[in-house]
Amino acid sequence: MCGQWRCWMFLLLGSCFSHAVSQGMLYPRETPTRELKELNGIWSFRADRSPQRDEGFQQQWYKRPLRESGPVIDMPVPASYNDITQDIGLRDFIGWVWYEKEVWLPSRWLDDVASNRILLRVGSAHYFSIVWVNGVQVTLHEGGHLPFEANISSVLKGILGTPCRITIAVNNTLTLNTLPPGSIEYMNDPTRYPKGYFVQNTEFDFFNYAGIHRPVVLYTTPSVYIDDITIITDISDNTGLVIYEVSVVGSDYYSVAVILRCQNGEEVATAVGAIGQLKVINANLWWPYLMNENPGYLYSFEVKIRADTDNGVCEDVYTLPVGIRTVQVSGQQFLINGKPFYFHGVNKHEDYDIRGKGLDWSTVLKDFNLLKWLGANSFRTSHYPYAEEIMDLCDKYGIVVIDECPGVGIRQPESFGNKSLQHHLVVMEELVRRDKNHPSVVMWSVANEPASQIPPAGYYFKTVIGHTKQLDNTRPITYVSNANFEKDQGAPYVDVICVNSYFSWYHDPGHLEVIQLQLNNQFDNWYDKYQKPIIQSEYGADTIPGFHNDPPLMFTEEYQAIVLKHYHAVLDEKRKKGVIGELIWNFADFMTAQTVTRVVGNKKGIFTRQRQPKSSAFILRDRYWKLANNTGYLHKPTV
């Protein structure tokens, strides 16, 4: 097998591992029939710095403890590895890195291997991952930002009394067929570059953080288990409808019972059968933040199965939070529970000091408190799916989400070919499978700023959008465009037009007087051609906190403030003609690759990277609360 790894770009350039999703991916929760063991913390780590990045495969590092292969360092999981050390080579490293952790499993897990499954689940690793347990390959996964898992029960037979060694190799190389795309450029001039020198080129404006970004867990299920749950909700007068389907694996002979409980634990509806409908009289609906006095109301959907097996009666229990709500695009309006909804929110990044894109609970909760303080009711997961834990909090707090896949930077013709398309379809399957039951998710976004004006884009996005609608026909679909309205090939297929524009910044920089004219024309052109609701999905200006000048100059706080005010003046007028939302770029400053246009990252945040407000944050706060008060909400909370 080692020969196939000789070229370190091997796998990603010639990958054929994309495949249709065929199983569920329920979030791992402890229940009366399921146990959970978190593997977060310190792992052993080693980057493969060999010229072709293949030494780890040539020497089979996964066959023995990683420390025996050479020097290892401690590395936190979850976290990006880039900013953890003082090693500039590791910060910008491209290629394979290796993680390892030895863990003890409860003896009861190993005693019950015949009647229980033991699964290893990785919440996200960027970009391509291969996983071994005790030297045996158990799975591989192409793509960052989404979870993958493996049933490792058979590998664990006979290890009672010894630890379990988990090895994960992760490669962050991007090619023209990955999502997001990228390319490797070799610098072959020996007078300017060392032998074998190369760089990773990308078509996106954020740092290519890498590593194991989200929790790694071991969990158990019975041998006959609940594999997947699909929930669709509807409203009929004052009755909430919960249409469900439960997928059971492991036996053809089983019974299913479901109970829906309200927040105080009382039963409000029950049913039997794997497919059915629950009716909730006088249902508490799931409402967005600031649209109701009780936003984010969640019921508990409990599923219990029983099956006869050779080892006796087998039971499995799983509980899923459920919000009852409807979503619809109707004419010029976006409706939630039949009422017009106006997106006033932000674009975000999973990006924090030191840990990069690694899930960090302190920062996550700080961000949600800032969103509530700001009066933001929504955000877009720019430009990739965020952690499942963040989606759970959106459900709980009533923060509306435009859920975007990693389709950012699809700019080159090769990235519109069949190979890229097939991978894109699988990514959408994985995303919908993971997030389909979140009431906070009201729309799918299949790309950000692609070259949608070139001819192949029409077929490409017609196919991706059509496939996504087959996966989920309950939510509108969009992608985010910065193409010319007349030449955009994919716009006919979306339900909502999302447009990015940076007038007086990337276009006519410094000329504030052109913003309102150009923005008015932008909205008129898009709406007149497509007659679809429009979201201003990005706008803004870079601002160095503490930089001031009057009259305003670019990069000062005054300049960012006046850009916002010009945009808001037009948005207030265009809300009467098809504009259904505005999302500032960006919630907080974030890291990018080093370029002459970036001063230690992108500075378009209304908060600094450390989550301190710039002047623009107070402008947005006043605006968003006024917009919220127009819906009759009560008052600003203290958060």
Side-chain angles (χ1 to χ4, degrees):
M1 172 173 156
C2 294
Q4 75 185 68
W5 309 111
R6 283 195 177 277
C7 174
W8 68 278
M9 290 175 62
F10 50 89
L11 200 46
L12 298 168
L13 287 174
S15 173
C16 58
F17 294 113
S18 292
H19 58 279
V21 171
S22 59
Q23 63 183 38
M25 187 65 72
L26 293 173
Y27 186 76
R29 305 181 191 277
E30 288 191 305
T31 77
T33 59
R34 297 177 177 222
E35 291 189 75
L36 183 70
K37 182 180 178 67
E38 293 189 355
L39 305 184
N40 300 337
I42 303 301
W43 289 52
S44 296
F45 176 91
R46 185 181 180 188
D48 186 342
R49 301 176 190 263
S50 61
Q52 294 192 356
R53 305 296 197 257
D54 64 347
E55 182 178 319
F57 294 99
Q58 294 288 350
Q59 297 183 3
Q60 298 181 321
W61 289 354
Y62 50 88
K63 288 287 190 182
R64 60 191 189 280
L66 192 60
R67 62 184 177 273
E68 295 181 7
S69 71
V72 299
I73 62 173
D74 289 340
M75 187 61 64
V77 171
S80 303
Y81 61 72
N82 308 82
D83 293 339
I84 300 299
T85 74
Q86 305 309 110
D87 182 355
I88 190 173
L90 186 59
R91 184 193 67 192
D92 298 318
F93 183 80
I94 302 296
W96 287 103
V97 298
W98 293 71
Y99 289 81
E100 181 193 82
K101 192 174 187 68
E102 290 189 346
V103 299
W104 288 93
L105 300 185
S107 58
R108 64 185 177 279
W109 287 19
L110 300 174
D111 289 339
D112 295 336
V113 165
S115 57
N116 283 301
R117 301 161 69 240
I118 302 174
L119 294 103
L120 172 64
R121 188 180 198 271
V122 180
S124 168
H126 190 75
Y127 171 79
F128 192 102
S129 305
I130 306 176
V131 183
W132 298 264
V133 174
N134 294 336
V136 178
Q137 182 176 317
V138 294
T139 192
L140 50 78
H141 184 258
E142 182 177 2
H145 316 294
L146 290 165
F148 56 96
E149 66 183 21
N151 182 348
I152 63 172
S153 305
S154 61
V155 181
L156 299 177
K157 291 180 179 179
I159 73 160
L160 190 63
T162 61
C164 171
R165 180 168 46 83
I166 299 169
T167 308
I168 305 177
V170 183
N171 192 317
N172 63 340
T173 306
L174 301 175
T175 76
L176 292 176
N177 301 125
T178 59
L179 282 183
S183 61
I184 296 295
E185 181 179 4
Y186 284 92
M187 305 303 189
N188 296 320
D189 184 347
T191 67
R192 301 181 63 192
Y193 303 101
K195 182 179 179 181
Y197 191 83
F198 65 89
V199 295
Q200 169 79 76
N201 295 318
T202 61
E203 297 276 359
F204 52 80
D205 186 30
F206 53 91
F207 192 75
N208 185 29
Y209 278 114
I212 301 176
H213 287 151
R214 296 176 190 156
V216 181
V217 301
L218 289 165
Y219 73 98
T220 66
T221 77
S223 58
V224 181
Y225 60 96
I226 302 162
D227 178 62
D228 199 11
I229 302 170
T230 301
I231 298 290
I232 297 173
T233 63
D234 203 350
I235 304 167
S236 177
D237 296 326
N238 66 336
T239 300
L241 305 178
V242 178
I243 301 97
Y244 70 88
E245 181 175 357
V246 177
S247 172
V248 177
V249 173
S251 174
D252 293 328
Y253 305 100
Y254 55 84
S255 63
V256 178
V258 301
I259 301 173
L260 192 70
R261 299 183 187 274
C262 61
Q263 289 187 348
N264 65 12
E266 294 181 4
E267 293 184 13
V268 296
T270 63
V272 294
I275 298 175
Q277 176 179 282
L278 302 175
K279 293 184 178 181
V280 184
I281 307 299
N282 297 320
N284 289 299
L285 303 184
W286 187 94
W287 288 100
Y289 178 54
L290 304 180
M291 203 171 173
N292 185 272
E293 294 183 10
N294 187 20
Y297 190 93
L298 296 173
Y299 291 89
S300 292
F301 182 81
E302 298 179 7
V303 182
K304 183 175 182 179
I305 67 167
R306 290 173 57 91
D308 291 325
T309 71
D310 294 339
N311 296 315
V313 175
C314 180
E315 293 186 351
D316 192 20
V317 178
Y318 190 87
T319 300
L320 182 73
V322 168
I324 300 175
R325 62 101 179 98
T326 61
V327 173
Q328 181 186 7
V329 172
S330 178
Q332 299 182 22
Q333 295 181 319
F334 194 99
L335 305 178
I336 296 181
N337 300 334
K339 293 187 177 181
F341 177 78
Y342 185 79
F343 296 80
H344 51 86
V346 302
N347 295 276
K348 292 180 87 278
H349 266 296
E350 289 184 311
D351 176 276
Y352 323 108
D353 283 335
I354 301 175
R355 75 275 296 166
K357 291 194 181 304
L359 178 69
D360 177 75
W361 277 113
S362 299
T363 309
V364 167
L365 289 176
K366 178 68 172 179
D367 284 0
F368 273 97
N369 280 317
L370 288 175
L371 287 171
K372 293 164 69 177
W373 173 88
L374 193 64
N377 63 11
S378 54
F379 66 76
R380 174 169 63 116
T381 67
S382 49
H383 300 297
Y384 39 81
Y386 292 174
E388 293 160 280
E389 293 80 0
I390 292 176
M391 308 304 287
D392 285 342
L393 289 176
C394 289
D395 294 341
K396 180 179 180 180
Y397 297 143
I399 302 298
V400 168
V401 177
I402 301 173
D403 204 353
E404 189 163 274
C405 83
V408 55
I410 307 175
R411 309 292 302 172
Q412 302 301 320
E414 186 177 334
S415 296
F416 288 93
N418 286 337
K419 189 173 182 180
S420 295
L421 177 58
Q422 290 303 312
H423 179 52
H424 202 148
L425 298 180
V426 171
V427 170
M428 292 310 302
E429 291 177 14
E430 292 183 345
L431 176 58
V432 172
R433 174 184 63 179
R434 194 196 75 166
D435 290 348
K436 62 186 176 183
N437 293 322
H438 287 287
S440 58
V441 175
V442 302
M443 185 156 50
W444 305 111
S445 173
V446 301
N448 176 77
E449 295 188 358
S452 52
Q453 73 280 1
I454 66 175
Y459 173 78
Y460 188 94
F461 285 112
K462 179 181 180 180
T463 304
V464 173
I465 292 169
H467 184 67
T468 307
K469 283 185 177 291
Q470 288 182 332
L471 297 170
D472 175 22
N473 62 9
T474 70
R475 292 176 175 89
I477 299 175
T478 189
Y479 68 81
V480 177
S481 178
N482 66 345
N484 182 284
F485 75 98
E486 290 186 308
K487 298 180 180 179
D488 194 299
Q489 303 295 305
Y493 308 109
V494 301
D495 299 300
V496 174
I497 301 288
C498 285
V499 182
N500 293 351
S501 60
Y502 290 91
F503 302 128
S504 86
W505 191 259
Y506 296 126
H507 309 285
D508 301 297
H511 294 281
L512 294 163
E513 66 276 8
V514 306
I515 293 177
Q516 294 195 33
L517 172 64
Q518 294 182 1
L519 188 59
N520 266 297
N521 287 332
Q522 168 198 279
F523 287 134
D524 289 344
N525 290 334
W526 281 95
Y527 186 77
D528 291 345
K529 183 171 179 62
Y530 296 105
Q531 298 290 304
K532 296 178 180 181
I534 304 169
I535 295 176
Q536 181 68 47
S537 43
E538 289 184 26
Y539 69 102
D542 280 85
T543 301
I544 309 297
F547 274 34
H548 297 281
N549 203 83
D550 187 32
L553 290 176
M554 294 178 70
F555 293 98
T556 65
E557 295 199 45
E558 289 77 13
Y559 194 90
Q560 187 183 41
I562 199 167
V563 166
L564 267 58
K565 289 178 179 178
H566 279 303
Y567 265 82
H568 296 163
V570 178
L571 286 162
D572 284 340
E573 176 63 27
K574 293 304 180 182
R575 289 209 311 276
K576 306 169 187 176
K577 188 183 177 182
V579 173
I580 61 166
E582 56 193 74
L583 305 176
I584 188 71
W585 188 270
N586 190 282
F587 173 74
D589 295 344
F590 57 91
M591 189 53 63
T592 65
Q594 298 183 76
T595 73
V596 295
T597 61
R598 296 284 174 247
V599 184
V600 194
N602 189 304
K603 294 295 192 293
K604 291 188 181 68
I606 59 171
F607 297 99
T608 67
R609 200 181 191 207
Q610 294 72 38
R611 277 42 180 185
Q612 294 304 307
K614 303 176 189 177
S615 300
S616 54
F618 297 95
I619 294 174
L620 259 286
R621 185 174 193 248
D622 287 343
R623 174 172 179 78
Y624 285 176
W625 280 103
K626 288 177 182 177
L627 289 169
N629 285 333
N630 288 339
T631 68
Y633 190 71
L634 301 177
H635 59 274
K636 297 180 184 179
T638 300
V639 294

